[in-house]
Amino acid sequence: MFQLDTVLRSHIRSLTPYSSARDEYTGKEGIFLDANENAYGSVTTEAYNRYPDPHQQAIKERLAPIKGVRPGQIFIGNGSDEAIDLLVRATCTPGQDSILILPPTYGMYEVSAAINDVPVIRVPLTPAFQIDVPAVQAAVQPHTKLLFVCSPNNPTGNLIHRNDILTLLDSFDGLVIVDEAYIDFADSQSFIALLDQYSNLVVLQTFSKAWGLAALRSGMAFASEELIRILDKIKPPYNISGPTQQLLLQALENVSGKNEMVDRTLARREELIGNLLNLPLVRHVYPSDANFLLVKFDDPRAIFDYLISRQIIVRDRHRVRLCEGCLRITVGTGQENEQLLSMLKAFYETVTIGA
Ligand SMILES: *Cc1c(COP(=O)(O)O)cnc(C)c1O
């Protein structure tokens, strides 16, 4: 049975958190002279003079039934990037404990570790972009606290085999963090359903992709109540702003609007795959369970530069191991995808005429 105390840094376990004015008095009515706010209001049209709920209780209560969890199993962060950073800081003593990642993958795990002076163990995915489970098990060290699995994976776009993640959940002594930033685009059940079965599981999701709220900077972590209490204890007290909380509540009233955008994106994705495969420039389009495509070209750098010169910006991943020759292309609107395709055709014509 996994014991959270075995992965927490001892000073985090015993830490007394900051007690905010909103913690010490939780009533809603009254004359508030406790937080040194501006009693007159704000200079903006809307009033923002009061500190927001440090625990985002209304959001958690609304989100819990949508995700099938208890409110106490939810952490809301300033982007899922905040949750990643807090997980590293809660568990890894700099220079001593390590995290394990599976490249090519999302860059923030490594950056968070580097900021905190935490060593990173890298076990590359297989050429099919799946986990080399025996290699992971062999690479884990006694001080490895966190294992990050991104599924669907960024930048490769594919889901990671469920059974491999389960094997790691069963065999790894630290926390397994399943980053599901793109789960809404995948035809797959979330690992959230397994939270009560695996107390070493953390699931990350975000409002930045399917929900269309990247500018709000809000992400979610789902885990045991015990771990969520730790994250809440070490986060900056008012990490989610008042306007963001209001907008998140509004978003959560419109799950169907989110689902409609996902459906449209998926239709455009399938169309884009077909159209890309018809281009002679394209060597390969990797299967995608996300809202982007990893596409292999003969001359990725020249295509990337040409697209930039035509103000179409994609992500250059050709120098990333296992992604040689690849650009990562987000699925746009129908019109944006058409423009991308016509620019790729125009590039092809320039090179063939030039040859
Ligand atoms: C985009 C993305 C996120 C989201 O990060 P936020 O900080 O919530 O915007 C998290 N993980 C992966 C793999 C991503 O691609």
Side-chain angles (χ1 to χ4, degrees):
M1 181 61 194
F2 173 79
Q3 292 293 323
L4 185 61
D5 279 357
T6 60
V7 298
L8 291 179
R9 297 164 75 188
S10 55
H11 73 284
I12 294 288
R13 229 183 293 152
S14 55
L15 180 95
T16 307
Y18 177 73
S19 181
S20 70
R22 290 291 170 272
D23 284 319
E24 293 181 10
Y25 181 81
T26 53
K28 299 271 179 285
E29 303 297 324
I31 297 171
F32 286 88
L33 305 176
D34 59 346
N36 300 347
E37 297 151 336
N38 187 328
Y40 291 97
S42 319
V43 293
T44 47
T45 46
E46 302 267 335
Y48 297 118
N49 55 322
R50 300 296 177 185
Y51 280 102
D53 175 6
H55 306 293
Q56 307 102 24
Q57 210 46 46
I59 295 166
K60 291 176 183 178
E61 273 158 30
R62 187 70 200 93
L63 188 57
I66 294 172
K67 297 293 178 183
V69 297
R70 298 178 290 282
Q73 292 174 296
I74 305 174
F75 171 82
I76 307 288
N78 189 334
S80 18
D81 291 348
E82 182 176 36
I84 294 168
D85 180 66
L86 293 178
L87 285 162
V88 171
R89 283 197 283 154
T91 59
C92 295
T93 299
Q96 175 189 309
D97 298 322
S98 57
I99 71 162
L100 193 151
I101 64 167
L102 310 165
T105 193
Y106 186 48
M108 270 315 286
Y109 315 137
E110 187 157 2
V111 170
S112 258
I115 290 168
N116 291 294
D117 190 23
V118 166
V120 177
I121 300 171
R122 296 172 189 81
V123 180
L125 293 174
T126 66
F129 302 140
Q130 292 298 329
I131 303 179
D132 183 342
V133 175
V136 170
Q137 288 170 330
V140 166
Q141 293 176 357
H143 286 289
T144 307
K145 296 290 188 69
L146 305 178
L147 198 165
F148 284 93
V149 181
C150 188
S151 180
N153 186 43
N154 178 4
T156 60
N158 60 295
L159 280 163
I160 301 296
H161 292 153
R162 192 174 186 80
N163 281 341
D164 291 344
I165 302 177
L166 292 176
T167 302
L168 295 175
L169 276 164
D170 280 319
S171 61
F172 178 56
D173 288 332
L175 296 175
V176 176
I177 298 149
V178 182
D179 186 343
E180 295 186 334
Y182 300 97
I183 191 70
D184 295 89
F185 303 103
D187 187 11
S188 165
Q189 217 203 353
S190 166
F191 271 77
I192 285 179
L194 300 178
L195 281 177
D196 283 333
Q197 222 168 308
Y198 290 99
S199 48
N200 61 335
L201 170 64
V202 181
V203 179
L204 301 179
Q205 293 187 3
T206 181
F207 287 102
S208 299
K209 309 287 159 62
W211 289 92
L213 297 170
L216 294 192
R217 307 303 310 122
S218 311
M220 305 157 253
F222 303 92
S224 68
E225 273 128 329
E226 198 186 2
L227 177 57
I228 295 300
R229 276 195 295 274
I230 298 290
L231 297 180
D232 263 323
K233 186 163 98 158
I234 65 175
K235 75 181 178 66
Y238 301 109
N239 62 327
I240 306 296
S241 79
T244 295
Q245 294 196 38
Q246 285 166 15
L247 289 165
L248 288 178
L249 276 175
Q250 191 184 317
L252 292 172
E253 293 306 317
N254 193 5
V255 178
S256 62
K258 183 262 293 175
N259 291 339
E260 267 167 42
M261 289 198 290
V262 167
D263 289 344
R264 280 155 69 183
T265 304
L266 294 182
R268 294 288 85 81
R269 181 181 78 192
E270 295 317 299
E271 190 177 84
L272 183 58
I273 293 173
N275 288 331
L276 283 167
L277 288 172
N278 281 332
L279 298 180
L281 286 172
V282 171
R283 288 248 303 268
H284 189 62
V285 181
Y286 289 88
S288 172
D289 300 295
N291 65 341
F292 60 85
L293 298 172
L294 189 69
V295 185
K296 188 171 247 178
F297 295 94
D298 281 325
D299 195 353
R301 189 66 224 178
I303 292 170
F304 178 82
D305 289 340
Y306 181 83
L307 290 176
I308 292 264
S309 75
R310 296 295 184 274
Q311 295 192 318
I312 296 180
I313 301 92
V314 299
R315 204 76 189 264
D316 185 3
R317 284 291 171 259
H318 87 277
R319 277 200 193 81
V320 175
R321 207 176 137 207
L322 296 176
C323 299
E324 290 86 0
C326 289
L327 303 177
R328 194 195 69 189
I329 302 175
T330 306
V331 177
T333 63
Q335 203 190 357
E336 289 171 336
N337 300 336
E338 281 307 317
Q339 280 180 271
L340 166 77
L341 290 161
S342 78
M343 287 310 152
L344 288 172
K345 282 178 199 150
F347 174 83
Y348 182 68
E349 277 154 25
T350 17
V351 285
T352 44
I353 292 162

